[in-house]
């Protein structure tokens, strides 16, 4: 067998690979492409593995308390665990209807399904993939559930490092969300932030309002400069822009 970080992944036999494939197929929705074991990958919508080094995470998170905001299937949460974090929290929503929808649309969605159907949808989209990966990895990552707007009040000053990627565009009030993330950090805490930006014009602070509902609720596409200013307005200091990543899926 081979060791990766603190987790053990045994070399896969054909039978074990078939079992892994069966368990992956039992999850109807995978957001991230995850390697659950050698030669066994989930069919995620997004494969962020090639970009992990670009975020500049410390080589070791030993002793640190870390939160992955909007964790979905938990790719980055499990990565932080491999880096030795003392505690990793994967934060996601309790219900699909907790997405930052306009009120009229939320009520329209609520009316489309029975309570039992909503419970199934919540499990398939918010729980199943993370739960399966958590089980396979024998992980200690802790799942917590609330909106990003509630985070700062629910977990004030708890974390040394917060990570959030590709969430801002789905929020009606991104500055309030960034403020909430800041409040969950210790005074010396660090925030690693990824944002889908509009790069049409350089060195100008602006935002494009999409106002789209399908296929996913999308509000804003800020310029790179606007994203930096929002972080500063939310109370972050020493905002250090990293390289622009052109990610195509």
């Amino acid at each position: 067998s081979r060791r990766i970080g603190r987790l053990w992944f045994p070399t896969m036999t054909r039978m074990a690979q078939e079992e892994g494939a069966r368990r992956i197929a039992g999850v109807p929705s995978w957001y991230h492409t995850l390697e659950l074991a050698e030669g066994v990958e989930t069919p995620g919508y997004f494969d962020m593995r090639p970009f992990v080094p670009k975020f500049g995470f410390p080589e070791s998170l030993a002793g640190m308390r870390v939160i992955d905001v909007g964790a979905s299937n938990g790719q980055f949460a499990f990565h932080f665990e491999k880096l030795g974090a003392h505690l990793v929290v994967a934060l996601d929503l309790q219900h699909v209807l907790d997405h930052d929808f306009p009120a009229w649309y939320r009520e329209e969605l609520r009316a489309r399904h029975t309570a039992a159907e909503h419970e199934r949808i919540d499990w398939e989209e918010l729980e199943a993939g993370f739960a399966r990966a958590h089980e396979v990895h024998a992980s200690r990552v802790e799942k917590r559930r609330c909106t990003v707007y509630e985070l700062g009040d629910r977990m004030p000053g708890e974390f040394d490092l917060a990570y959030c990627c590709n969430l801002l565009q789905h929020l009606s009030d991104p500055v309030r969300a960034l403020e909430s993330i800041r409040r969950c950090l210790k005074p010396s805490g660090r925030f690693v932030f990824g944002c889908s930006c509009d790069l049409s014009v350089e060195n100008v602070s602006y935002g494009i309002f999409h106002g789209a509902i399908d296929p996913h609720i999308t509000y804003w596409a800020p310029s790179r400069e606007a994203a930096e200013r929002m972080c500063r307005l939310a109370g972050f200091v020493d905002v250090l822009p990293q390289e622009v990543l052109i990610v195509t899926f």
Side-chain angles (χ1 to χ4, degrees):
S1 59
R2 61 192 181 97
R3 190 176 183 180
I4 303 178
R6 297 183 303 156
L7 303 179
W8 289 90
F9 294 91
T11 301
M12 300 292 286
T13 65
R14 179 179 297 275
M15 183 178 297
Q17 287 180 329
E18 290 175 353
E19 172 63 14
R22 185 190 64 79
R23 298 174 78 179
I24 287 173
V27 175
S29 178
W30 288 100
Y31 184 82
H32 290 129
T33 299
L34 305 175
E35 185 178 19
L36 296 188
E38 185 178 349
V40 180
E41 296 182 353
T42 65
Y45 294 112
F46 299 100
D47 186 355
M48 295 296 291
R49 292 173 297 173
F51 306 101
V52 170
K54 304 291 186 179
F55 285 99
F57 299 125
E59 292 185 3
S60 172
L61 297 177
M64 296 179 67
R65 301 171 66 89
V66 183
I67 185 167
D68 179 1
V69 181
S72 189
N73 298 149
Q75 175 186 349
F76 285 90
F78 297 131
H79 178 70
F80 300 145
E81 184 176 39
K82 292 177 184 178
L83 294 180
H86 172 70
L87 170 72
V88 180
V89 169
L91 186 77
D92 215 330
L93 299 175
Q94 180 78 43
H95 306 288
V96 170
L97 290 177
D98 291 337
H99 279 96
D100 194 1
F101 296 129
W104 67 267
Y105 185 66
R106 179 179 295 106
E107 293 310 309
E108 182 178 297
L109 286 180
R110 193 189 311 276
R112 290 181 187 176
H113 305 284
T114 66
E117 288 171 337
H118 278 296
E119 185 174 347
R120 174 185 56 79
I121 292 169
D122 289 342
W123 169 255
E124 290 179 352
E125 296 194 15
L126 299 175
E127 301 289 343
F130 177 85
R132 184 57 49 85
H134 193 275
E135 175 191 16
V136 170
H137 289 328
S139 173
R140 297 184 301 106
V141 171
E142 181 179 331
K143 184 76 174 284
R144 298 187 192 176
R145 301 164 182 84
C146 69
T147 70
V148 65
Y149 299 124
E150 298 168 323
L151 170 60
D153 293 330
R154 296 276 188 94
M155 309 168 210
E158 186 172 339
F159 299 100
D160 301 287
L161 175 68
Y163 167 78
C164 181
C165 185
N166 286 334
L167 178 63
L168 201 70
Q169 67 267 30
H170 302 302
L171 302 175
S172 60
D173 194 342
V175 174
R176 182 162 70 95
L178 291 169
E179 285 185 289
S180 182
I181 293 173
R182 180 182 57 80
R183 292 199 306 275
C184 86
L185 288 166
K186 297 177 181 179
S188 60
R190 178 181 177 186
F191 178 37
V192 179
F193 172 50
C195 179
S196 294
C197 294
D198 183 85
L199 304 176
S200 302
V201 183
E202 292 290 334
N203 303 316
V204 178
S205 179
Y206 65 92
I208 296 175
F209 182 74
H210 288 293
I213 290 177
D214 291 323
H216 305 288
I217 185 70
T218 305
Y219 291 97
W220 304 101
S223 68
R224 184 178 181 181
E225 289 73 17
E228 294 175 28
R229 291 192 183 190
M230 283 191 283
C231 288
R232 296 183 191 280
L233 188 61
F236 289 102
V237 296
D238 298 326
V239 178
L240 304 175
Q242 301 297 313
E243 64 181 291
V244 175
L245 306 180
I246 307 300
V247 183
T248 304
F249 295 100

